[in-house]
Amino acid sequence: MNMENQSATADPQLQQFIEIESQKQRFQQLVHQMTEVCWEKCMDKPGPKQDSRTEICFVNCVERFIDTSQFILNRLEQTQRSKGSFSESMSE
């Protein structure tokens, strides 16, 4: 067994921890990006209280951002699957 295979299979708990931390980081980046986009779009003049128009704008912006992000993720997954099945069919 070479060194690469040992490190890749050595500690599944470590791999799981790294994956979870990576997911947390991606989530934090997404929240930061969403906050920035929606703030720029909806916040005309910061004040002590939001008016209902601003609040509705934020809600709609966040919902559209989430919908769009989910659509893109689904599309990327479909693309990866179709590339994988295309590669498999080419190798047969």
Side-chain angles (χ1 to χ4, degrees), residues 2 7 9 11 17 20 30-31 35 39 53 58 61 63 65 70-71 83:
N2 66 26
S7 65
T9 59
D11 191 351
F17 174 78
I20 289 169
L30 188 63
V31 168
T35 301
W39 184 270
R53 186 182 62 80
F58 273 117
C61 182
E63 288 176 353
F65 193 92
Q70 190 62 49
F71 175 80
K83 281 184 180 178

Side-chain angles (χ1 to χ4, degrees), residues 39-40 42-51 54 58:
W39 184 270
E40 290 296 317
C42 298
M43 188 52 85
D44 292 332
K45 45 187 182 271
K49 193 172 181 185
Q50 293 179 5
D51 62 7
T54 303
F58 273 117

Side-chain angles (χ1 to χ4, degrees), residues 4-24:
E4 284 181 21
N5 286 345
Q6 276 184 327
S7 65
T9 59
D11 191 351
Q13 283 185 312
L14 179 60
Q15 288 178 334
Q16 183 179 13
F17 174 78
I18 291 170
E19 179 59 31
I20 289 169
E21 291 303 309
S22 295
Q23 288 175 357
K24 287 179 186 177

Side-chain angles (χ1 to χ4, degrees), residues 32-87:
H32 177 74
Q33 185 182 7
M34 178 182 59
T35 301
E36 188 175 325
V37 166
C38 293
W39 184 270
E40 290 296 317
K41 178 174 177 43
C42 298
M43 188 52 85
D44 292 332
K45 45 187 182 271
K49 193 172 181 185
Q50 293 179 5
D51 62 7
S52 62
R53 186 182 62 80
T54 303
E55 189 173 331
I56 290 168
C57 181
F58 273 117
V59 169
N60 288 335
C61 182
V62 169
E63 288 176 353
R64 294 302 71 78
F65 193 92
I66 292 169
D67 290 346
T68 302
S69 297
Q70 190 62 49
F71 175 80
I72 291 169
L73 286 173
N74 290 340
R75 190 76 172 124
L76 288 172
E77 286 176 4
Q78 288 174 352
T79 302
Q80 289 299 329
R81 276 184 275 176
S82 66
K83 281 184 180 178
S85 56
F86 179 74
S87 299

